[in-house]
Amino acid sequence: MALSPLDGRYDRFVKELMPFFSEFGLIRYRVLIEFSKEAHAFLNSIIDNFCIDDAKEQRCSTNPEIAKVSEFFHFGCTSEDINNLSHALARKEGINRVMFPVMIDICRALCSLATQNSGYPMLVRTHGQVKILGKFAGAVGNYNANVVAYPEGDWPKVAEELLDSWTMPHKINPIDFENSDGNLCQANSILSGVSVKLPISRLQCDLTDSTVLRNLGMGLGHSLLAYKATMRGISKVQVLAEPIQTVMRRYGIPERYEKLKELTRGQAVTKDSMQQFIDDLDLPEEVRSKLSKLTPHSYTGLAEDLTIDIEKWPTLFV
């Protein structure tokens, strides 16, 4: 039933593909391709109840009608005549039953995410850098939270003097999207190799194709793993609360991360729920008022000032 090295760590994410692209699956589809209508009922019972023991040793010898003509199963055929049809049927059913449904789920989730968050501006990508070899400018490069918590601070100067650490107190590392990215890279590598190899025939030496096609399960397995990781990541995407947590840090409020996690994870974050959270914080009144008035549109830190100086950093874009 092995699909690929995916069978170990990621078995729970890709096991749906095993009936189609494992060695067991290939043998099952050979059964589907080879047998004729005359023994339809008997063979259907084999197909419908196909198990590991059947893959190890076919049961055709127990049926006199089929056993009588068993020598003609491959009459006039090479193994590739059977294998190419078996692989094609496995691809058709495996992709239709497993891959497409997950891909459709991703499309629907992205549409829903876009609809729900259409009113929010995207401030910038994370991990923006001050210099090519270092970063100390907040989560997105504009000192957003720093300015809210300590507006009197000269943050570009601080960053210039201290470029040896970075923190993103609000940010959940995008491990699911990173997992998806890595697995799609692996899948593309495998499947692009398959697509380059299969159209080329070397004097009809078709067993090379048979070898290559056995890796379809690995390529599609990495794809499926990536799609599921994407879905997990999408389910966690939400508007987070970096400035609030940074201000909480300044005023010594304990369990900052845990409190915000309780607010933001697994439930919708609304204006009212965020306002209630701010009102309950042990902060000076003027600080709570400032946080309450903060919106994504105004949460831009020093972006405008930094943009004015952008010409000073041409090497960043080389």
Side-chain angles (χ1 to χ4, degrees), residues 4-73:
S4 73
L6 293 169
D7 297 315
R9 180 172 184 175
Y10 299 114
D11 171 81
R12 65 189 186 279
F13 298 118
V14 299
K15 60 184 178 182
E16 301 103 308
L17 287 175
M18 293 178 185
F20 304 101
F21 298 105
S22 62
E23 187 69 14
F24 165 87
L26 178 58
I27 295 173
R28 179 178 179 274
Y29 281 106
R30 284 171 178 159
V31 172
L32 284 169
I33 293 299
E34 289 197 58
F35 295 145
S36 64
K37 295 180 181 179
E38 284 71 21
H40 191 269
F42 176 78
L43 297 176
N44 269 348
S45 69
I46 295 179
I47 294 168
D48 293 340
N49 302 297
F50 204 75
C51 63
I52 295 294
D53 289 337
D54 293 325
K56 294 177 180 178
E57 183 175 357
Q58 294 182 8
R59 294 189 283 116
C60 294
S61 59
T62 62
N63 183 283
E65 178 185 355
I66 298 176
K68 187 176 181 180
V69 296
S70 61
E71 293 296 326
F72 293 92
F73 283 167

Side-chain angles (χ1 to χ4, degrees), residues 102-268:
V102 178
M103 295 167 73
I104 291 171
D105 286 344
I106 291 176
C107 291
R108 287 174 175 166
L110 288 173
C111 290
S112 176
L113 188 67
T115 301
Q116 294 172 14
N117 297 280
S118 60
Y120 291 103
M122 178 178 287
L123 303 179
V124 73
R125 292 179 182 272
T126 60
H127 295 77
Q129 294 185 341
V130 174
K131 286 188 177 181
I132 195 69
L133 295 180
K135 174 198 178 295
F136 191 72
V140 295
N142 295 329
Y143 310 96
N144 307 49
N146 311 53
V147 171
V148 172
Y150 294 93
E152 69 278 6
D154 187 350
W155 291 107
K157 184 177 180 180
V158 172
E160 184 177 350
E161 296 174 351
L162 182 61
L163 284 175
D164 60 359
S165 67
W166 60 272
T167 59
M168 286 182 277
H170 78 298
K171 181 176 180 291
I172 302 171
N173 286 331
I175 56 175
D176 295 309
F177 293 125
E178 291 167 349
N179 181 291
S180 178
D181 192 359
N183 277 284
L184 285 176
C185 178
Q186 186 71 8
N188 290 342
S189 175
I190 295 169
L191 296 177
S192 62
V194 172
S195 67
V196 169
K197 170 65 189 75
L198 293 183
I200 300 174
S201 177
R202 294 183 177 85
L203 301 178
Q204 301 301 314
C205 296
D206 44 32
L207 289 182
T208 60
D209 286 359
S210 178
T211 299
V212 170
L213 285 169
R214 290 177 186 272
N215 291 283
L216 279 178
M218 188 183 298
L220 292 177
H222 280 289
S223 296
L224 182 61
L225 180 59
Y227 298 157
K228 291 188 175 183
T230 296
M231 286 298 296
R232 290 196 303 275
I234 290 174
S235 69
K236 299 175 184 177
V237 171
Q238 52 191 291
V239 180
L240 294 179
E242 173 190 26
I244 298 175
Q245 185 169 340
T246 307
V247 171
M248 292 168 66
R249 181 188 297 270
R250 173 179 179 176
Y251 288 94
I253 297 177
E255 298 181 339
R256 300 170 297 274
Y257 181 80
E258 290 73 16
K259 290 178 179 178
L260 274 170
K261 182 173 69 172
E262 182 179 353
L263 169 69
T264 59
R265 285 189 176 177
Q267 55 186 319

